[in-house]
């Protein structure tokens, strides 16, 4: 089985020693991803944009996502993100988990991690 690593150039990738995504065994594993912005909704949108770029580079899309994990330091901030998440996942909702926990920096309000299935080649 081959393994392909996708790097986004994020500051923490080299500091911590990880990559944005790994493609292996027909799956795309996208690392926990934070975004920039003044509030949780802006950060959610930005994180999803970063994830979208990784999925696209891997050959997948949000329609192929099987599982998503949301991590927030304050669970009360999750509900304002729901409309954004419905917009992104639309008719293809994945299984999901929301965890309340500390993030790497207090300025981050949400971190999102996904696993997707690579579409079969025709």
């Amino acid at each position: 089985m081959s393994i392909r690593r996708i790097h986004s150039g994020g500051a923490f990738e080299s500091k911590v020693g990880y990559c944005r995504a790994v493609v292996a065994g027909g799956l795309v594993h996208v690392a926990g991803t934070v975004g920039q912005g003044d509030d949780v909704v802006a950060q959610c949108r930005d994180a999803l944009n970063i994830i979208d770029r990784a999925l696209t580079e891997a050959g997948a899309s949000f329609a192929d996502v099987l599982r998503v994990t949301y991590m927030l330091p304050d669970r009360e901030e999750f509900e304002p993100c729901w409309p954004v998440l419905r917009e992104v996942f639309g008719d293809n909702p994945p299984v999901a988990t929301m965890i309340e926990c500390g993030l790497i920096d207090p300025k981050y309000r949400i971190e999102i991690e996904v696993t997707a299935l690579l579409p079969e080649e025709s």
Side-chain angles (χ1 to χ4, degrees):
M1 168 179 50
S2 67
I3 297 174
R4 183 164 54 108
R5 290 174 173 80
I6 296 171
H7 298 274
S8 66
F12 289 108
E13 286 182 37
S14 61
K15 288 180 185 177
V16 176
Y18 74 97
C19 59
R20 176 64 42 218
V22 171
V23 182
L27 296 172
V28 183
H29 303 273
V30 181
T33 303
V34 295
Q36 302 300 313
D38 293 333
D39 62 24
V40 68
V41 174
Q43 289 184 20
C44 180
R45 283 189 191 281
D46 192 49
L48 290 166
N49 286 333
I50 294 166
I51 291 168
D52 183 48
R53 288 194 297 273
L55 289 171
T56 299
E57 186 172 338
S61 72
F62 281 114
D64 303 306
V65 172
L66 303 171
R67 171 174 289 283
V68 60
T69 303
Y70 305 102
M71 294 156 275
L72 296 92
D74 180 357
R75 66 179 176 260
E76 298 297 323
E77 291 188 325
F78 189 44
E79 189 170 352
C81 297
W82 293 356
V84 175
L85 303 174
R86 278 194 309 272
E87 175 186 320
V88 167
F89 291 108
D91 294 332
N92 303 293
V95 297
T97 301
M98 192 284 296
I99 300 167
E100 185 177 40
C101 62
L103 300 180
I104 198 163
D105 186 309
K107 72 180 179 181
Y108 296 121
R109 307 311 307 155
I110 188 169
E111 183 170 340
I112 305 170
E113 173 185 89
V114 305
T115 302
L117 181 65
L118 278 176
E120 291 185 22
E121 296 180 24
S122 13

